[in-house]
């Protein structure tokens, strides 16, 4: 069976996988951004209840008002300045938002990709933050690496722990890792992850449907084309 897989055109696989990432990869980013909002709400809510960050909340709201008319690039500096001045949940939220702004430009700007990865890695290494936010930072770093054609080893390094059973981000990490394997011409590994995704009762119907589509794409790429009549003579 491995001989059949070896005979499949590597160029065809790369074309298929690149198209698959362009078509479906952003769904992962969109879902991750939604989680950022939820995690931020938890951080802000718990801090507010403790009565320790009311002033920070006011300052953050004021910051958001100043950002409304700015484009993505212009928002980064004030967000980073706020994060540097605020050692609290709102500061973490500002750091995350600034990193996401860098990530938006990561496909076309290598400096933005490097800045986004560095920011997400720093968040992931911040011991005072909730584990859910640190895990999400690792996931986002892996997504930026994949989006900017970073190394597969670096992507695996950031997703390794997130792929453990019991981690709340496992389905998203699994999908990101599978897309990375597809992009880096490792279809057999990608296929196993998509199979696991389909069999995971925790994933949403949309996530399962995406996995099914990707699995079909892989099966088509891994199936050798019938020999042409001239070749059979």
């Amino acid at each position: 069976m491995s001989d059949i897989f070896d005979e499949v055109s590597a160029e065809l696989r790369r074309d298929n996988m690149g198209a698959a990432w362009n078509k479906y990869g952003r769904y992962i980013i969109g879902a991750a951004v939604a989680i950022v909002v939820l995690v931020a709400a938890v951080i802000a809510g718990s801090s507010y209840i403790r009565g320790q960050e009311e002033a920070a909340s006011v300052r953050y709201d004021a910051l958001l008002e100043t950002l409304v008319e700015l484009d993505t690039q212009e928002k980064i500096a004030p967000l980073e300045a706020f994060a540097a001045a605020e050692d609290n949940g709102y500061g973490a939220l500002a750091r995350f938002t600034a990193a996401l702004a860098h990530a938006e430009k990561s496909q076309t700007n290598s400096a933005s990709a490097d800045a986004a990865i560095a920011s997400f890695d720093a968040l992931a290494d911040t011991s005072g933050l909730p584990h859910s936010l640190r895990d999400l930072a690792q996931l986002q770093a892996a997504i930026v690496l994949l989006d900017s054609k970073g190394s597969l080893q670096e992507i695996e390094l950031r997703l390794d722990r997130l792929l453990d059973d019991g981690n709340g981000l496992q389905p998203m990490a699994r999908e990101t890792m599978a897309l990375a394997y597809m992009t880096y011409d490792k279809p057999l590994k990608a296929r196993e992850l998509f199979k696991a995704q389909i069999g995971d009762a925790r994933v949403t119907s949309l996530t399962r449907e995406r996995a099914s589509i990707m699995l079909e794409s892989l099966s088509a790429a891994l199936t050798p084309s019938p020999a042409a009549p001239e070749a059979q003579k």
Side-chain angles (χ1 to χ4, degrees), residues 1 26 28-29 37 47 52 57 61 65-66 84 120 126 131-132 149 157-158 160 166 173 182-183:
M1 184 63 71
R26 292 300 180 179
I28 298 177
I29 295 178
V37 176
S47 298
Q52 297 176 349
S57 173
D61 287 341
E65 290 182 8
T66 67
F120 286 130
T126 303
H131 286 294
S132 56
K149 298 179 174 58
L157 179 65
R158 286 162 177 80
D160 182 57
M182 292 172 69
T183 301

Side-chain angles (χ1 to χ4, degrees), residues 67 70-77 79 97-98 100-105:
L67 301 181
L70 302 182
D71 63 24
T72 300
Q73 185 64 38
E74 292 173 332
K75 293 177 181 179
I76 293 174
L79 282 166
T97 306
L100 286 171
H102 282 299
E104 285 186 28
K105 298 181 176 295

Side-chain angles (χ1 to χ4, degrees), residues 7-85:
E7 292 171 4
V8 179
S9 167
E11 183 175 352
L12 175 61
R13 288 206 301 268
R14 283 194 297 271
D15 289 345
N16 286 343
M17 304 325 160
W21 168 247
N22 289 334
K23 186 173 183 180
Y24 297 106
R26 292 300 180 179
Y27 285 109
I28 298 177
I29 295 178
V33 172
I35 293 178
V36 171
V37 176
L38 295 177
V39 173
V42 171
I43 295 174
S46 62
S47 298
Y48 187 85
I49 291 172
R50 291 196 304 269
Q52 297 176 349
E53 296 194 354
E54 291 90 340
S57 173
V58 172
R59 290 192 295 273
Y60 187 73
D61 287 341
L63 171 67
L64 294 182
E65 290 182 8
T66 67
L67 301 181
V68 171
E69 301 298 328
L70 302 182
D71 63 24
T72 300
Q73 185 64 38
E74 292 173 332
K75 293 177 181 179
I76 293 174
L79 282 166
E80 291 180 340
F82 183 92

Side-chain angles (χ1 to χ4, degrees), residues 99 102-103 106 110-124 137 140-146 148 150 154 158:
H102 282 299
S106 62
S110 60
S112 293
D114 292 342
I117 293 165
S119 296
F120 286 130
D121 284 345
L123 283 161
Q140 285 290 352
I143 290 172
V144 175
L145 280 163
L146 177 55
S148 59
E154 290 295 318
R158 286 162 177 80

Side-chain angles (χ1 to χ4, degrees), residues 9 30 41 43-44 67 90 94 96 122 127 129 138 153 176 187 209 211 215:
S9 167
I43 295 174
L67 301 181
Y90 290 99
F96 217 122
S127 59
L129 294 179
Q138 284 191 298
Q153 183 179 8
T176 305
E209 180 180 355
L215 196 56

Side-chain angles (χ1 to χ4, degrees), residues 12 30 38 41 67 78 87 93 123 137 139 151 196 225:
L12 175 61
L38 295 177
L67 301 181
D87 185 18
L93 176 56
L123 283 161
L139 176 65
S151 76
S225 301

